[in-house]
Amino acid sequence: MAYCRFRMSAGHGMIQRMERSATCPRCAGALGPHTHAAGIDLERCCDCGGLFCTSETFQALLTTDGTESLDALPRTKGGTDHTDSVDCPQCAKKMVMYRYPPQPHIHIDRCVECLGVFLDAGELTDMKRYTLLDWFRDLPYR
Ligand SMILES: [Zn+2]
Ligand SMILES: [Zn+2]
């Protein structure tokens, strides 16, 4: 019996781990569950401050006052300004990077599979505080 089991596992060298991946797609740190004071559940990376949530939660984050405080939580690594897309922490598919229309300098990663959204640290605050500086920054280059 034991021999048989060994043979099976040896034949599947790349057995996929069944438990849900909780790795930050940005910095490979640990994504952990976090509940905002307003009762919004999402996952947050304590290393880079990246946020992963569902589309519904993302809308709630944008429309609920005070969710910017998520960006003020402690993190061990600085913010990242990325230009490459990341893999979805939930289904490991390549996420699609979208420009946030009112502020094209902000990129939102969205998974076409589970519709999860990944935000880099600071992006939520940036989105909720649209300023004249943002307007100027997003003027087309000449
Ligand atoms: Zn991270
Ligand atoms: Zn996904």
Side-chain angles (χ1 to χ4, degrees), residues 52 88-93 95 111-116:
F52 180 72
C88 175
Q90 188 145 274
C91 27
K93 297 240 178 199
M95 297 179 93
C111 175
V112 290
E113 195 79 11
C114 68
L115 303 183

Side-chain angles (χ1 to χ4, degrees), residues 7-105:
R7 237 172 26 126
M8 274 193 54
S9 55
H12 298 80
M14 291 293 288
I15 293 171
Q16 278 224 307
R17 299 199 318 162
M18 289 306 286
E19 70 264 35
R20 200 173 158 295
S21 160
T23 304
C24 174
R26 175 60 59 217
C27 73
L31 271 184
H34 182 89
T35 303
H36 181 260
I40 299 172
D41 289 313
L42 46 86
E43 297 201 46
R44 182 177 181 274
C45 172
C46 299
D47 284 349
C48 71
L51 303 172
F52 180 72
C53 60
T54 64
S55 293
E56 291 77 27
T57 304
F58 174 60
Q59 288 168 47
L61 288 174
L62 283 183
T63 53
T64 306
D65 281 339
T67 51
E68 301 94 310
S69 63
L70 286 166
D71 281 332
L73 293 172
R75 58 178 194 254
T76 54
K77 292 176 191 169
T80 46
D81 195 14
H82 72 286
T83 48
D84 54 326
S85 59
V86 298
D87 293 333
C88 175
Q90 188 145 274
C91 27
K93 297 240 178 199
K94 206 90 190 137
M95 297 179 93
V96 181
M97 209 162 67
Y98 295 97
R99 283 174 180 275
Y100 182 62
Q103 294 155 273
H105 64 275

Side-chain angles (χ1 to χ4, degrees), residues 102-105 130 132-142:
Q103 294 155 273
H105 64 275
Y130 186 74
L132 205 57
L133 181 63
D134 287 312
W135 173 82
F136 183 76
R137 193 159 39 166
D138 291 333
L139 287 177
Y141 289 102
R142 274 274 162 199

Side-chain angles (χ1 to χ4, degrees), residues 110-127:
R110 186 159 173 271
C111 175
V112 290
E113 195 79 11
C114 68
L115 303 183
V117 178
F118 185 81
L119 296 171
D120 286 321
E123 286 185 332
L124 182 64
T125 304
D126 208 351
M127 269 182 243

